[in-house]
Amino acid sequence: MKKRAAEVLTDLAESSNLAAHSSSELAGDVSAAARDDDKQRKEKELDQLRRKSRLQALPAKDLSRVGQLTPWEVLHTFGRSISLARRGAGRGLAEHWGCLKYNQALSGSSNFFMTLSAEGRETAEHYKALQSGELGTGFALALAERLLKRRYPDHFVSIVPADTTMRAGWALTSRDSGPKSGYRYRPHFLAEVWKPGEPSRVFPIASKGNHSGPSASHNQLASASAHVEALHIGEWGQTPCLVFSTELPLDGPLTVHALEAQGSSGWLDAPARVFDHALEDENIYPGIQPPTQGDSPSELEPGYHVKPELYAWFQHALARTAAASLTAFAGDDRATAPYLTKRQGQRHFTGLTHAATDSVQDARHKLLGIDFVGTDHVFRLNRKRVEAFSGVAKDLFHHLEEGRVDQYRRETYARRSTWPSDTWDSRWNGPVSVHPDGSVLAIRLLPRSR
């Protein structure tokens, strides 16, 4: 029997424990899975993968303080991550609303670990790869953000899609202009840990998910190790990273399996640019430069290398892409286009869209005492009409729509610990999730129409 829509909304605001697993045994199992995959690739005469070495467990003290989160917070995290998923090619359908298809997929309470709901289990029978991958992204990025915040308490953490960011410098596919890489392995996301006026640090992230079990997660983490190894920032082999595989069993708690690689690089230590200035596409020759062996330089390895002379540009690309992701989440095409380069998909945010599919920034709501502007979406949930709203704090959005990225970052950094943590707004009468970047996702039942 399906739950009433009001019960579904109540469940979305219910906090649950998140099961996170990281251990030396897990690292060993992933190494074994990587060796098995390498052996199979060799037998099939496939190219051998270069993987991130020295994957290790996250410290137990970090995982013990992960805390609780609500299903709505997970969907907010996922929705923010896909607002530029296709570089705006599907903006008329508001790409980030794709998170709403999972509003009945998760279940839990403060005394239990989060699990799949009855509907989530039913969906898994037909759309296993899609559901596990997308929900896995939400859980992985929520966990990554919390881990990095605890490690860098006086910094801000921004997470952006790697493909969109990297396209400003490299031709990632045959359709992109510039020198082609021909290499399909890349991180899925980039976490930038930053503080105004100081060097930031970047962590490549790879995230996968499955409905199968621990052995599937071992294989996924082995694959993820190749994705994060494809991007080097600074010195060879010293870029820190995070890899995740979220196990969503049909019975039992959701479990995020996580490993990391440490390193001394990842710092973008260069004179800061003015982020308000537009970013232009670069044509960086693909390949990673290994350390020189003897008198002659080593051959380039497949992948992407952010060398010291590119630090300032890369930091600029990260800041502009993060801004575009926020304005797209708020439904403002006109504000989004200037933040993207041609190769990043700027054209998708200009021109006409098909009738009845446009996403427009024209909604305003006060939630948890804060004024937000953004876009809304009305649909039916178990026969009842509901309204979802996504947006950005009004004052911060004003900076973004006027192109003041530096001002936005200064104010967001100053307010990083002041945002409300409530999960329900009684005046709005529905679940609300507010992130430190100033974004919000809210949902409520609409009054019955005549």
Side-chain angles (χ1 to χ4, degrees), residues 248-270:
L248 299 96
L250 299 185
D251 55 349
L254 294 156
T255 303
V256 183
H257 302 278
L259 294 173
E260 68 173 343
Q262 297 183 352
S264 58
S265 294
W267 291 100
L268 302 179
D269 189 4

Side-chain angles (χ1 to χ4, degrees), residues 198-340:
E198 295 188 9
S200 58
R201 197 177 197 192
V202 180
F203 294 78
I205 294 174
S207 164
K208 296 174 180 277
N210 69 83
H211 288 296
S212 301
S215 61
S217 287
H218 301 159
N219 292 329
Q220 288 187 333
L221 289 170
S223 173
S225 68
H227 285 275
V228 292
E229 176 64 7
L231 177 65
H232 282 211
I233 301 170
E235 187 180 349
W236 167 270
Q238 289 296 317
T239 305
C241 70
L242 294 164
V243 293
F244 300 93
S245 173
T246 301
E247 180 188 342
L248 299 96
L250 299 185
D251 55 349
L254 294 156
T255 303
V256 183
H257 302 278
L259 294 173
E260 68 173 343
Q262 297 183 352
S264 58
S265 294
W267 291 100
L268 302 179
D269 189 4
R273 292 187 177 189
V274 178
F275 298 145
D276 296 358
H277 295 167
L279 183 71
E280 297 294 333
D281 280 324
E282 298 286 344
N283 287 306
I284 304 170
Y285 195 81
I288 301 173
Q289 182 65 63
T292 301
Q293 301 291 336
D295 297 331
S296 58
S298 303
E299 284 190 25
L300 293 177
E301 292 283 350
Y304 312 89
H305 200 165
V306 181
K307 298 179 181 179
E309 61 268 25
L310 295 173
Y311 287 173
W313 165 82
F314 198 56
Q315 194 176 44
H316 194 181
L318 287 163
R320 301 284 292 187
T321 304
S325 180
L326 270 173
T327 53
F329 189 72
D332 196 321
D333 295 350
R334 186 177 64 177
T336 302
Y339 287 120
L340 298 174

Side-chain angles (χ1 to χ4, degrees), residues 50-127:
R50 197 183 68 254
R51 304 176 193 271
K52 177 65 74 173
S53 60
R54 302 187 304 277
L55 285 178
Q56 62 187 57
L58 297 163
K61 64 178 182 180
D62 287 349
L63 291 181
S64 65
R65 295 181 296 175
V66 168
Q68 296 186 325
L69 72 169
T70 68
W72 195 237
E73 182 182 349
V74 174
L75 299 189
H76 183 185
T77 301
F78 174 55
R80 279 282 290 108
S81 76
I82 61 173
S83 62
L84 294 176
R86 287 182 290 164
R87 295 180 293 159
R91 80 191 188 285
L93 298 173
E95 290 170 311
H96 64 282
W97 292 134
C99 69
L100 296 178
K101 62 180 174 283
Y102 298 118
N103 55 28
Q104 296 183 80
L106 301 171
S107 177
S109 70
S110 58
N111 296 322
F112 298 97
F113 288 102
M114 198 172 293
T115 64
L116 284 177
S117 65
E119 179 173 292
R121 294 193 295 272
E122 183 179 341
T123 302
E125 292 294 332
H126 305 283
Y127 304 102

